[in-house]
Amino acid sequence: MMKRTLPLLATLGWRNLWRHPKRTFVILFAITLGVWFMVISAGMMVGIIEQQVRDTIFNLTGHAQIHNPEYRDDPAIEHSMPPPTPAMLEILNSPKVKQWSSRVRLPAVVMSERESRGVTLVGIDPKHEQGLSLIGEPVVEGRALESIDDDGIVIGRRMAEKLETRVGKRIVVMSQNKNKEVADRGFRIVGLYRAELESTETAYVFTGRKTAQKLLGLNDDLSEIALITYSRDGLEPLVASLRQAAPTLETKSWKELEPLMVSALKVYDNFMIIWYLIIFGAMAFGLTNTMLMAIFERTREIGLFQALGMRPRYIVGQVLMETFILLLIGVALGNLTGWFTSDVIFADGIDLTEFARGMESFQMSSIMRFQLEARDLITINLMVIVLGLLASLYPALKAARYVPVEAITRT
Amino acid sequence: MSTVTLHKVCKTFGEGKLAVHALRDIDLEVGNGDFVCLSGPSGSGKTTLLNMIGGLDRPTSGEITVANQRVDQMDKGELAEIRLRNIGFVFQAYNLIPVLSARENVEFVMQLQGIPPEIRHQKSKEILAEVGLNGMEDRKPAELSGGQQQRVAVARALVSEPALILADEPTANLDSVTAEKLVELLRHLNDEHGITFVISTHDKMVMGHARRLLKMHDGKIIDDIQQR
């Protein structure tokens, strides 16, 4: 029965909207503005979060890592691990893994003629770091590391500033070798790298893995193996198989390695829902008020509907249908303008270089990019439509409760 | 067989000293196919009586039966259903739905009844032709004269072939020529379709067309005249 009545309710809903075009445009503008704001705030928030997650993963974390079980608590040389076994290599070289690399990664001190700084010395296999971590990207000055035997050193731009040095100059790296004795050697700076965050540029210096192993007396031992897959979600089976292949080592996914980031993601999710509700709350007042005005103006007509035999539930349905059409148009326009803002006007992101230092304290990049996710758009659209209908339920029920004889004689 | 039966129907508005007795112990039977006019001065209870019969309002006491169903005991949904299936209304102020065309206004009740579109279109076309509105099907109420609007209202009341049509001062807003044409139309429809009409009116011309004339005063039927 309801199905057969739907076209009638839709016709009435649509035509009633245009009885007062000015009022309809005002409330449509409010809904569109609200949805637009939700869409761009979601895009902005997801953009920031995604950037942070990408930076975290790219910042030598990867999607998963294998270590000596003690290494994460105390990244000392004695907590190194042996090179991967054939069983581990079988998994690491399987199609599930996009890229993997083994590293030496230990605390060290770098010294120039003028300054010294505490850093993490990372010995890498340059070819395998491409696409896996920030050091796989081209350096901004000088050259990149070329092989595991490369005895040059690549440092961050900011670190070069701090050490008051430059490409071609020599610096000394000092650490502890396997015999717990001081190991040091001079390196020529062959390149400077750039990272999203300045703090990264002062945290790591890179050399060839073999060079680092030789300096620290590690032979073939490693500090970690890092890997990335084709998706950062659903890593559990891969991690489980690596744990099985290397039971004496510790294999952790990025979520286990970066629990703070995971907590931040949850906080962001909850925050966004609260944010949507605040925006929607303001919108809902306008919507309820508009629908109340509409039914007050049409009291006589609603009385007529009742006299002609329209059941109370269809009167509720008629008011809800009118709201639904209004919401549908508003949501469509809001999505469209939101998409236009994020993907056309600010397709290259918003340059916040001027505020870079301030942004960095929030672990944010100086270019803020919008990222619209289907999941967020569905949440916003469903929320606006469902809560919008709930907001108009009060006027709808009020209309259905009219006494026909009173309503029809109302002037 | 009676289409409408009222037994000791009373309606009181307000309470105590402010109470207004709009209907007092009304007993009435209206037979199938009858054409009844309610007459009387303003405030005599004509409209209240129509509202009670149509289930738009509830009696304070008494029993009302329409098409063998007790309307005084029905809930809102059941009242809507009996109005939809058994009762047609024609109001003084036409009361058409302004956003719908003449055809859509006529089809409104049939749509609520769930009648398929092709049957609806056919019936609405026929009934609009019968009330003399051929070619005006797609006009909105604002584009029709008062008489034409009232004809649309009659067509709407008639199209679902209800057992009873209640008309409250249907000619009050019409000029005498249009009013006469409308009443002749109602009478013709009564003769052709055998639908029962109960009409409240002040208009002597309308009373002249009634088969039965009920005179009301102070909430009571004071005279019941069979005319022809």
Side-chain angles (χ1 to χ4, degrees), chain A residues 203-389:
Chain A
Y204 303 106
V205 295
F206 297 91
T207 187
R209 194 190 75 216
K210 279 276 181 206
T211 307
Q213 283 169 327
K214 207 163 145 189
L215 169 68
L216 303 165
L218 276 172
N219 299 321
D220 287 334
D221 282 359
L222 306 166
S223 302
E224 68 189 20
I225 292 172
L227 63 94
I228 54 159
T229 61
Y230 291 92
S231 163
R232 66 172 188 245
D233 299 313
L235 291 169
E236 291 76 13
L238 179 69
V239 169
S241 61
L242 280 168
R243 281 178 187 150
Q244 211 172 6
T248 58
L249 299 175
E250 180 187 67
T251 306
K252 296 270 185 196
S253 70
W254 72 273
K255 286 184 180 173
E256 293 166 308
L257 293 165
E258 302 289 347
L260 268 177
M261 178 53 69
V262 176
S263 303
L265 289 178
K266 283 183 188 159
V267 171
Y268 280 136
D269 274 352
N270 293 334
F271 171 76
M272 285 315 288
I273 295 290
I274 294 167
W275 182 238
Y276 296 155
L277 286 174
I278 291 170
I279 301 171
F280 178 81
M283 201 197 298
F285 278 109
L287 192 63
T288 307
N289 192 40
T290 303
M291 295 319 290
L292 268 177
M293 276 172 68
I295 67 143
F296 280 138
E297 276 175 11
R298 281 185 240 141
T299 302
R300 195 186 173 94
E301 210 170 296
I302 291 164
L304 173 67
F305 290 165
Q306 292 174 315
L308 295 177
M310 191 182 246
R311 278 177 169 267
R313 66 169 181 267
Y314 293 142
I315 291 170
V316 172
Q318 206 263 303
V319 178
L320 293 184
M321 179 61 85
E322 200 170 321
T323 312
F324 180 69
I325 295 170
L326 199 61
L327 288 167
L328 219 54
I329 300 171
V331 160
L333 289 174
N335 279 280
L336 198 68
T337 48
W339 166 81
F340 192 77
T341 307
S342 68
D343 284 29
V344 179
I345 299 176
F346 294 116
D348 298 326
I350 300 174
D351 191 350
L352 300 169
T353 312
E354 283 183 36
F355 313 101
R357 290 280 159 77
M359 303 290 286
E360 186 155 343
S361 57
F362 295 100
Q363 296 284 297
M364 282 162 65
S365 153
S366 54
I367 301 285
M368 192 174 69
R369 289 190 173 81
F370 291 94
Q371 187 169 332
L372 297 182
E373 293 278 334
R375 185 194 73 147
D376 293 307
L377 293 180
I378 291 168
T379 306
I380 291 167
N381 295 342
L382 273 181
M383 201 176 91
V384 170
I385 289 174
V386 171
L387 294 183
L389 288 175

Side-chain angles (χ1 to χ4, degrees), chain A residues 97-287:
Chain A
V97 177
K98 189 178 174 189
Q99 184 73 284
W100 70 274
S101 184
S102 51
R103 298 178 188 140
V104 169
R105 180 165 158 173
L106 289 166
V109 174
V110 289
M111 288 174 289
S112 66
E113 300 98 322
R114 298 173 193 276
E115 292 286 339
S116 64
R117 311 280 301 184
V119 291
T120 299
L121 170 68
V122 189
I124 57 164
D125 180 346
K127 283 176 188 137
H128 286 97
E129 290 291 340
Q130 282 169 18
L132 173 63
S133 72
L134 62 103
I135 198 60
E137 298 292 304
V139 294
V140 289
E141 199 180 330
R143 68 166 175 84
L145 294 171
E146 287 164 353
S147 69
I148 54 174
D149 299 312
D150 198 323
D151 59 0
I153 197 162
V154 172
I155 67 171
R157 271 184 324 180
R158 186 83 182 130
M159 176 62 98
E161 283 170 27
K162 297 250 180 201
L163 293 176
E164 296 179 40
T165 187
R166 58 189 154 79
V167 172
K169 295 276 242 175
R170 288 178 70 84
I171 54 173
V172 174
V173 176
M174 192 190 295
S175 187
Q176 192 182 50
N177 68 17
K178 206 163 186 182
N179 301 323
K180 298 192 176 172
E181 285 170 2
V182 172
D184 58 4
R185 67 160 283 184
F187 286 89
R188 189 167 302 283
I189 301 169
V190 294
L192 303 183
Y193 71 88
R194 193 187 73 82
E196 282 289 341
L197 304 177
E198 284 191 357
S199 57
T200 307
E201 292 178 4
T202 55
Y204 303 106
V205 295
F206 297 91
T207 187
R209 194 190 75 216
K210 279 276 181 206
T211 307
Q213 283 169 327
K214 207 163 145 189
L215 169 68
L216 303 165
L218 276 172
N219 299 321
D220 287 334
D221 282 359
L222 306 166
S223 302
E224 68 189 20
I225 292 172
L227 63 94
I228 54 159
T229 61
Y230 291 92
S231 163
R232 66 172 188 245
D233 299 313
L235 291 169
E236 291 76 13
L238 179 69
V239 169
S241 61
L242 280 168
R243 281 178 187 150
Q244 211 172 6
T248 58
L249 299 175
E250 180 187 67
T251 306
K252 296 270 185 196
S253 70
W254 72 273
K255 286 184 180 173
E256 293 166 308
L257 293 165
E258 302 289 347
L260 268 177
M261 178 53 69
V262 176
S263 303
L265 289 178
K266 283 183 188 159
V267 171
Y268 280 136
D269 274 352
N270 293 334
F271 171 76
M272 285 315 288
I273 295 290
I274 294 167
W275 182 238
Y276 296 155
L277 286 174
I278 291 170
I279 301 171
F280 178 81
M283 201 197 298
F285 278 109
L287 192 63

